[in-house]
Every structure is written in structure tokens, then in C-alpha cells.
Amino acid sequence: MNGEAHTPVAVAAMPRGGPDASWLDRLFETDALEYTDRSDVSDELKQRVITGLDAIGDRVGTHRSYAQVALGVVADVAHPRILELGSGHGRLAREILGLHPTATVTASDLDPTSVANMSAGPLGSHPRARTRVVDATAIDSPDNTYDLVVFALAFHHLPPELAYRAISEATRVARRFLIIDLKRSSPLGMVVLPFVMAPTSLALMPLSSILPTMHDGLISSLRAYSRSAFSALGKAADPSMNVEFLAPPRMGFGPPSLTAVFSRPTADSKDHDEKGSENS
Ligand SMILES: C[S@@+](CC[C@H](N)C(=O)[O-])C[C@H]1O[C@@H](n2cnc3c(N)ncnc32)[C@H](O)[C@@H]1O
């Protein structure tokens, strides 16, 4: 794995807003952990957050629209093999399987309780699905096992010194790594967020999920990475890493997102680049 021996110093110290973040943006970041990251809170509380996220995604259509984005990225592959990291409830994996007749999906999470819940549900008996505990920063699979790795609404959970490793690992086990995460708001956006989030949460989530999901949602927004941070993390994983930012998924209503596809140059593209520079 690239960079396993040490973390590039510039990346470890990088603000979530990226190397060029303003002082004001830096004020709006936190090292606080979400409930779903903590070992000192009950599984029951963590699962209330996961249930809340499932309900929001269902009502605003993000599970479906993220699945469409993922399948668009592998539109050139007849029978795509897909690994989902940080699946939580597993709804994105289920949507992918429903939309594509031959795709195979491994739905995974770091949290064994979430993986056990996914195994006990429809994914556990689906002929083209597997469920596994996987740490995004140390993926236990050989190189090129998958065509695509997808990580939805979870990349911000990783601090920079681990986030670049996830990019390195995902682009080792697959040709492409799709991240869909919360878009980092402006400082003003972060100030107004709780006032937008409260009524939305009340309208969309089961009562028991509202407070814990708002807690995690507010921390998430302070930990979201900017576009320039994505680019810097990609370069820390591999200086020749490609990153392509896609248009946000089409949705009438839902959290603003940042969508990026990381890939390493292939032998073909290197060959093409070299010929191009020889000819220029
Ligand atoms: C905010 S939830 C997102 C769940 C789901 N992907 C969604 O879109 O609603 C973040 C998920 O990332 C998982 N997670 C956090 N750190 C992880 C890591 N290092 N590797 C894999 N999953 C991780 C958490 O356990 C949690 O299920």
C-alpha cells in the first residue's frame, strides 16, 4: 500500500477545507467524533443513527440516485463487481442490485453490528450479494478484485492521515473509487445548518433517530472535505492519481454532495501520455 510507512506531513496537518482553506473555514472544523465512530456508546444508539440515515435516503431518494451514479461510473463494464464501503444499512447496495441484472455487490462496514444486520436482511439471501466487515483504510482483498469501490456519506469519518489511505487502498483493489459525501458548506452555511436540519429531521425520520442523527449530521458537516482537500488526499495516495469531479446526483431535495472518482493511470493511459509528450 502506498504511503503505509508514514503519513505525508502536509496531509496529516491539512484542514478539512483543503490546503488553501481560509482562517474562517478552519474555525468551522472539529475533531469531535460522531456516535457511529465511538467505542464508548451503545450499539443501540449507533443503530438509531443508521436507521435515521436509511429513512432520509429513502424519502429524499439518495439511495436510488447514488446507485445510478455508481452504475454510470461502470457503464463500460458488462458485469460489474462492486465493493461498497461503510454501507451502514446496505440500501445503496440493494438499489445497485435492483437496477443492474448482473452486478455483484459486496456490502461492507467497519461496524460488525451493521454487517450482522445487513446479513440478516435481504442482502444476506441475495444471490449476487455478500456482506463483510471491511476497514476502508486497510482493505483485505487482492489487487483488482473489483471494478468499482463506492463510499457514500462516510469519507468524512476518516481524518486526513487515514483518508488518503482509503484512496490508496480502494484504487488498489478496484480500477475506480467513487466517493459521494457531504459538500463542505461555507461558514455561513454551517451556521444556518441546524435551523434547516431540525425541521427536515422532524419530517423525515423516526422519532428515536432524530437527536442522534442530528448530532452526527452536524459533526459531519464540520468534518466534510472540500474539493481541494479531495485533490490533495488523492495526490498523497499517489502523485499520479487522477480525480474527476462529477455533477451532483439529480435530486429534488437532499443534502448537497460532492462526488469524485479516483483512479490510477492505467498502462494504456501512461503509454498514451508518453507518446503524446514525445510528439509534442
Ligand atoms: C454516516 S454512515 C453512512 C451510511 C451509509 N453509507 C449511508 O449513505 O447512509 C457512515 C458509515 O461509515 C462507517 N465507517 C466509519 N469508518 C469506517 C471505516 N474506516 N471503514 C469502513 N466503514 C467505516 C460507519 O460504521 C458508518 O456505517
Side-chain angles (χ1 to χ4, degrees):
M1 187 172 73
N2 269 3
E4 192 170 39
H6 66 281
T7 305
V9 175
V11 164
M14 184 184 73
R16 298 283 176 141
D20 52 355
S22 69
W23 65 269
L24 188 56
D25 184 282
R26 287 168 204 238
L27 277 184
F28 284 86
E29 89 167 55
T30 180
D31 290 329
L33 294 178
E34 297 170 46
Y35 288 138
T36 48
D37 290 323
R38 285 168 51 176
S39 53
D40 62 333
V41 302
S42 68
D43 281 338
E44 190 268 331
L45 180 57
K46 292 183 193 182
Q47 289 305 314
R48 280 202 261 152
V49 176
I50 298 300
T51 302
L53 292 170
D54 187 2
I56 296 180
D58 206 24
R59 304 239 162 101
V60 304
T62 45
H63 302 319
R64 170 64 62 102
S65 60
Y66 293 176
Q68 287 164 338
V69 172
L71 287 172
V73 173
V74 283
D76 57 338
V77 181
H79 310 295
R81 302 158 302 164
I82 299 174
L83 168 65
E84 189 195 357
L85 301 168
S87 300
H89 38 69
R91 288 295 302 279
L92 169 54
R94 282 168 55 191
E95 289 289 344
I96 290 173
L97 291 164
L99 288 172
H100 196 293
T102 61
T104 50
V105 181
T106 300
S108 72
D109 203 281
L110 184 61
D111 183 345
T113 305
S114 288
V115 175
N117 290 343
M118 288 192 286
S119 306
L123 287 173
S125 55
H126 195 291
R128 289 182 282 120
R130 284 200 313 159
T131 54
R132 284 187 61 195
V133 172
V134 176
D135 180 349
T137 67
I139 302 174
D140 180 19
S141 296
D143 296 2
N144 304 314
T145 303
Y146 300 99
D147 299 299
L148 177 71
V149 174
V150 53
F151 204 18
L153 301 181
F155 189 62
H156 62 269
H157 283 260
L158 309 176
E161 66 271 21
L162 293 179
Y164 88 96
R165 282 199 205 179
I167 299 172
S168 180
E169 278 291 83
T171 54
R172 176 184 67 74
V173 302
R175 229 173 99 206
R176 299 171 183 126
F177 180 29
L178 168 67
I179 299 179
I180 305 173
D181 205 352
L182 296 176
K183 184 169 182 231
R184 188 168 180 80
S185 301
S186 65
L188 178 63
M190 292 193 212
V191 170
V192 299
L193 187 66
F195 302 100
V196 177
M197 201 184 257
T200 316
S201 304
L202 268 167
L204 299 179
M205 269 188 264
L207 218 57
S208 61
S209 291
I210 291 173
L211 287 178
T213 309
M214 277 187 63
H215 169 276
D216 277 19
L218 289 171
I219 293 177
S220 299
S221 67
L222 300 174
R223 302 186 86 196
Y225 288 108
S226 70
R227 213 174 151 114
S228 67
F230 269 53
S231 298
L233 291 166
K235 294 289 172 222
D238 183 332
S240 61
M241 185 72 69
N242 298 316
V243 54
E244 184 189 354
F245 292 97
L246 305 185
R250 272 198 306 262
M251 278 178 314
F253 181 59
S257 58
L258 184 59
T259 303
V261 181
F262 291 91
S263 59
R264 295 182 198 257
T266 58
D268 284 358
S269 65
K270 272 188 199 152
D271 201 31
H272 184 265
D273 287 351
E274 274 158 26
K275 282 194 185 131
S277 53
E278 275 165 22
N279 293 340
S280 60

